[in-house]
Amino acid sequence: MGSENLGRLLVRLPVGFLILFHVNSFIHGDPGMPMRVAAWGLPSFFAYIGASMEGIGAILVILGVYARVGGLLIGIFMVAAIIMAHSGFMGQPLHLFMTGPAPAGDVNDHYFLETQTFYLLGGFAVYLLGAGRFGLNIGGKWN
């Protein structure tokens, strides 16, 4: 079985499944991504490109089909999302060096971009590690 292959699976599945919640919110009308795209003066279809990158990347990562490509799509999307929504450019708030309040209180005890950092590094980790043995293993060196 190999612990390396199990480790790759334990990286792939949470990253892939959890980022699907972002895609789901976009599909159900969350205005966040379209508003960010509009604030940057980009055509509105860029929001659909971003959601497609997230969704396709997640499915590839979960299934272990061209998993490296899926991880790269997620990672690139998160770089763009952090720049467009959290970098302080184009009137957006600067969150890069902020701490955030705890969900159950008012103490700032965690990094504000903790979730975005998880997806960013998780996506690039899948890109670097590949799918391992536990997947559909389609894609040759891109898996």
Side-chain angles (χ1 to χ4, degrees):
M1 179 150 105
S3 62
E4 288 181 15
N5 289 311
L6 185 58
R8 289 174 179 158
L9 180 68
L10 291 176
V11 170
R12 278 185 21 235
L13 293 183
V15 170
F17 278 114
L18 291 174
I19 202 148
L20 285 177
F21 286 102
H22 287 257
V23 178
N24 185 51
S25 67
F26 178 80
I27 290 169
H28 289 93
D30 179 15
M33 199 181 320
M35 285 176 23
R36 299 293 186 244
V37 167
W40 280 73
L42 298 171
S44 62
F45 71 87
F46 275 44
Y48 295 96
I49 291 172
S52 297
M53 288 175 70
E54 276 185 310
I56 292 168
I59 290 167
L60 295 176
V61 164
I62 291 166
L63 296 177
V65 175
Y66 289 92
R68 291 180 192 266
V69 174
L72 189 60
L73 287 173
I74 292 169
I76 290 171
F77 173 81
M78 289 313 301
V79 168
I82 289 169
I83 290 170
M84 291 180 79
H86 302 287
S87 65
F89 295 123
M90 302 292 285
Q92 302 304 320
L94 176 59
H95 296 139
L96 297 179
F97 307 104
M98 286 180 60
T99 57
D106 58 356
V107 178
N108 287 353
D109 67 346
H110 69 277
Y111 180 51
F112 192 83
L113 298 179
E114 172 173 290
T115 305
Q116 293 85 345
T117 304
F118 167 75
Y119 293 128
L120 172 74
L121 298 178
F124 285 135
V126 172
Y127 168 69
L128 293 172
L129 296 171
R133 192 173 125 195
F134 301 113
L136 297 180
N137 293 320
I138 299 171
K141 71 177 184 173
W142 289 102
N143 195 42

